[in-house]
Amino acid sequence: MKKVLFLLVAFAGMAFAADGEMVKAYSVLAAVVGLGIAALGGAIGMGHTAAATIAGTARNPGMGGKLMGTMFIALAMIEAQVIYTLVLALIALYSNPFIG
């Protein structure tokens, strides 16, 4: 936690040093951190989904096709959350509503 706090203070120093560019600097930082967390969560969710599908197919091979269809729907929903974060990050970077 101390390392994260140190990095945040270091980025804040860079943001304040760029006179008037503080909002843009923090927008870039928020976009990068938010997208990284979203991608990490999506990857973990997709891994659990695939593992559960493989385990279910191993237990009952006759249900493999139905489980695969359900898995693809779940993967699309998980990936949609990451894409929503990407869209918000791009909005924060290119058409920032906080810049007057």
Side-chain angles (χ1 to χ4, degrees):
M1 186 66 187
K2 291 180 184 179
K3 292 178 184 179
V4 173
L5 186 61
F6 175 74
L7 286 174
L8 185 62
V9 171
F11 285 129
M14 288 188 332
F16 283 116
D19 191 34
E21 298 290 319
M22 184 176 73
V23 174
K24 288 182 183 178
Y26 277 128
S27 295
V28 171
L29 179 65
V32 168
V33 170
L35 196 54
I37 291 171
L40 176 69
I44 291 171
M46 287 181 180
H48 284 290
T49 303
T53 303
I54 292 169
T57 303
R59 286 189 193 120
N60 189 357
M63 292 290 294
K66 192 169 185 176
L67 288 174
M68 286 292 258
T70 305
M71 181 190 76
F72 287 132
I73 292 171
L75 290 178
M77 288 185 198
I78 293 168
E79 188 64 32
Q81 299 301 316
V82 179
I83 292 171
Y84 292 153
T85 306
L86 174 65
V87 169
L88 290 176
L90 290 175
I91 289 171
L93 289 176
Y94 293 110
S95 65
N96 198 333
F98 299 113
I99 296 176

